[in-house]
Amino acid sequence: MEQQEGALREEKNSLGSIRISEEVVSIIAGLAATRVPGVAGMSGGVVGGLTEKLGRKNLTKGVKVEVGEKEAAVDLYIVVDFGTRIPEVAANIQDAVKQSIEKMTGLVVVEVNVNVQGVAFAQETEVEENRVK
């Protein structure tokens, strides 16, 4: 059977084969990252530049995954809440993403790179919402 493009891992057993696509790993990483306290949203990265708040529409936004047969590397582009300790938030993201991917896919995560693209100011958002009544 031919392996589909975008499929990163394929296991065969007596009943057939199991394929996990790169998009699945990206979704797992994005969801794990957005659940960490202090993360305001995901950024489109250097090229995209636009920030998407935690609207769960596109969980792969701000996530780049490189996957081999048994290992994976993840790059995340995030926006943090103002007032949070960035190194602490980034370390929590690394732990959460690594654990989630390894637990759900069986891949070994060799690196999780966190790129902070911006800071979200909660006061500005609240003021803008009050103006538009």
Side-chain angles (χ1 to χ4, degrees), residues 41-100:
M42 302 300 287
S43 175
V46 178
V47 178
L50 297 175
T51 302
E52 183 174 304
K53 295 292 179 189
L54 292 176
R56 306 260 186 238
K57 298 173 188 169
N58 186 359
L59 292 173
T60 61
K61 182 169 185 153
V63 181
K64 182 181 167 193
V65 180
E66 292 180 32
V67 181
E69 288 183 28
K70 297 181 181 182
E71 297 178 337
V74 181
D75 291 319
L76 298 165
Y77 299 89
I78 65 161
V79 177
V80 296
D81 289 324
F82 178 76
T84 58
R85 289 185 37 97
I86 294 173
E88 188 176 302
V89 171
N92 291 340
I93 290 170
Q94 289 173 321
D95 289 338
V97 169
K98 181 177 176 17
Q99 289 178 9
S100 294

Side-chain angles (χ1 to χ4, degrees), residues 12-24:
K12 293 186 179 187
N13 59 30
S14 62
L15 297 175
S17 63
I18 301 168
R19 291 189 190 115
I20 303 171
S21 74
E22 287 188 3
E23 185 175 1
V24 169

